[in-house]
Amino acid sequence: MKRAKKKQFHDFIAARGLKSTRQRDMVLDCFLSSDSHLSTEELYMKVRAKNSSIGYATVYRTLKLFAESGIAREIHFGDGQTRYEHVAEGEHHDHLVCTRCGSVQEFENEAIEKLQQEVADQFGFLVETHKMELYGICSKCRK
Amino acid sequence: MKRAKKKQFHDFIAARGLKSTRQRDMVLDCFLSSDSHLSTEELYMKVRAKNSSIGYATVYRTLKLFAESGIAREIHFGDGQTRYEHVAEGEHHDHLVCTRCGSVQEFENEAIEKLQQEVADQFGFLVETHKMELYGICSKCRK
DNA sequence: ATTATCATGATAATCATTTTCAATTGGAGA
DNA sequence: TCTCCAATTGAAAATGATTATCATGATAAT
Ligand SMILES: [Mn+2]
Ligand SMILES: [Mn+2]
Ligand SMILES: [Zn+2]
Ligand SMILES: [Zn+2]
């Protein structure tokens, strides 16, 4: 899957007339080998560990490109920081976010998605994207 | 309903040992007589129209108190600005947000809420709050 | 190799929001 | 009503995340 994501990004880069650089590849490797839902700063720290000369701005810019290329998605959990998650082609999921330990559990529920569509239809609304997040205490933190 | 909200806020102020001020009452009146989902800046402009000497910080601080008192709820639609909506006791709703004109349509769907609870239960997750927003094109903008 | 572009890193600039602080005000008690 | 102190206010500085600027360096097509 990493291979495919890398190709997808490189194809995007090429299609846009952009250039392949050692920094972009470095950020890409760090992103693909990291957990999902990392903040820009967290990613920056990981990249920094590999190459301390990388600039903060480069990480910001590269992450935005990942989102545009479709291999990542920007998410906001209300803590004031932008996070990026891995995107699998044609897949969608929502989140359970623990307000105590910060852990994030992903889930998919076809029934809910269908009901959302019905609601939108009732209002003549054309859905492009949606977000659903349940905030609370995860099972580990409840013990 | 305005009466009740005002009382709720004044009770909150008193219970916390805070003081009732002309500025807070002014912001409260503007908030209660405005549409929901206004950004802090939009509210500030409305208050400013009544009393041009009000400070920006006061509006920020007061809106936070509204949220704490339970008469308002902070919401984020991803445009980088905090918005506040009116809260009716014991009521909950979600949103359809038009990405073209910015209009917001509220809706309630008991079936979805129930399914959300089931999902959380499956993961042993205790839900405290949740948000669900459908982004897309509203019926007016589709015509 | 040459050249036209694009990318990078350092730094300044933005933007929304928060904090600081000196001056003012509210309101409980005398 | 008067006092007094804690709470409040407005202006301005500070903050934190993100973006823009710009001189320098790298990429890749010719
Ligand atoms: Mn996710
Ligand atoms: Mn609402
Ligand atoms: Zn937890
Ligand atoms: Zn619209």
Side-chain angles (χ1 to χ4, degrees):
Chain A
M1 65 241 76
K2 278 193 186 181
R3 214 80 256 165
K5 296 271 184 69
K6 286 190 181 185
K7 181 179 188 320
Q8 187 178 339
F9 182 64
H10 284 133
D11 287 351
F12 167 82
I13 285 294
R16 283 267 280 259
L18 303 180
K19 290 168 179 171
S20 178
T21 69
R22 111 178 79 267
Q23 288 89 334
R24 283 175 177 164
D25 285 336
M26 183 164 282
V27 177
L28 181 56
D29 280 333
C30 279
F31 177 69
L32 294 178
S33 62
S34 295
D35 289 335
S36 205
H37 319 115
L38 260 57
S39 68
T40 305
E41 185 181 12
E42 288 168 334
L43 227 305
Y44 170 67
M45 288 310 186
K46 298 202 71 165
V47 181
R48 192 86 203 266
K50 300 274 180 262
N51 179 341
S52 62
S53 71
I54 189 121
Y56 217 141
T58 298
V59 176
Y60 267 95
R61 291 185 282 231
T62 306
L63 251 9
K64 277 190 173 297
L65 286 178
F66 290 173
E68 285 186 68
S69 77
I71 66 169
R73 182 183 299 124
E74 199 174 298
I75 50 182
H76 300 272
F77 287 151
D79 61 352
Q81 288 187 250
T82 298
R83 292 167 184 285
Y84 287 86
E85 65 177 357
H86 300 289
V87 174
E89 198 58 53
E91 178 262 4
H92 169 78
H93 64 255
D94 292 296
H95 303 102
L96 292 169
V97 184
C98 181
T99 52
R100 189 161 297 169
C101 70
S103 69
V104 177
Q105 171 68 53
E106 303 182 335
F107 72 89
E108 294 181 74
N109 188 297
E110 203 41 64
I112 292 179
E113 307 277 318
K114 179 165 289 183
L115 286 170
Q116 288 177 338
Q117 194 54 244
E118 286 177 21
V119 170
D121 288 344
Q122 280 167 27
F123 288 99
F125 190 94
L126 178 64
V127 179
E128 292 175 333
T129 63
H130 77 262
K131 65 160 62 172
M132 173 165 59
E133 290 140 22
L134 310 188
Y135 295 89
I137 312 298
C138 75
S139 58
K140 280 187 182 172
C141 288
R142 290 177 73 179
K143 288 170 186 165
Chain B
M1 66 246 71
K2 277 193 185 179
R3 217 75 263 166
K5 295 271 184 67
K6 287 190 181 184
K7 180 178 187 321
Q8 187 178 341
F9 183 63
H10 285 132
D11 287 350
F12 167 82
I13 285 293
R16 284 266 280 259
L18 304 180
K19 291 170 180 173
S20 179
T21 68
R22 110 178 81 265
Q23 288 90 335
R24 283 175 179 164
D25 285 336
M26 183 163 280
V27 176
L28 180 57
D29 281 334
C30 279
F31 177 69
L32 293 179
S33 62
S34 296
D35 288 336
S36 206
H37 318 115
L38 261 56
S39 68
T40 305
E41 185 179 13
E42 288 168 334
L43 229 304
Y44 170 67
M45 289 311 186
K46 298 202 71 165
V47 181
R48 192 85 204 268
K50 300 274 180 260
N51 179 341
S52 63
S53 71
I54 189 118
Y56 217 142
T58 298
V59 176
Y60 266 95
R61 290 186 282 230
T62 306
L63 250 9
K64 277 191 173 298
L65 286 178
F66 289 173
E68 285 185 68
S69 76
I71 66 169
R73 183 183 298 124
E74 200 173 297
I75 50 181
H76 300 272
F77 287 150
D79 61 351
Q81 287 187 251
T82 298
R83 290 166 185 285
Y84 287 87
E85 66 177 354
H86 300 291
V87 173
E89 199 57 54
E91 178 262 4
H92 170 78
H93 63 255
D94 292 296
H95 303 102
L96 292 168
V97 183
C98 180
T99 53
R100 190 162 298 170
C101 70
S103 68
V104 177
Q105 171 68 54
E106 304 182 337
F107 72 89
E108 294 181 74
N109 189 295
E110 203 41 63
I112 292 179
E113 307 278 318
K114 178 166 289 184
L115 286 170
Q116 288 178 337
Q117 194 54 245
E118 285 178 22
V119 170
D121 289 344
Q122 281 168 27
F123 287 100
F125 190 94
L126 178 64
V127 180
E128 292 174 333
T129 62
H130 77 261
K131 66 161 59 173
M132 173 165 61
E133 289 140 22
L134 310 188
Y135 295 88
I137 312 298
C138 75
S139 58
K140 281 187 181 171
C141 288
R142 289 177 74 178
K143 287 170 187 167

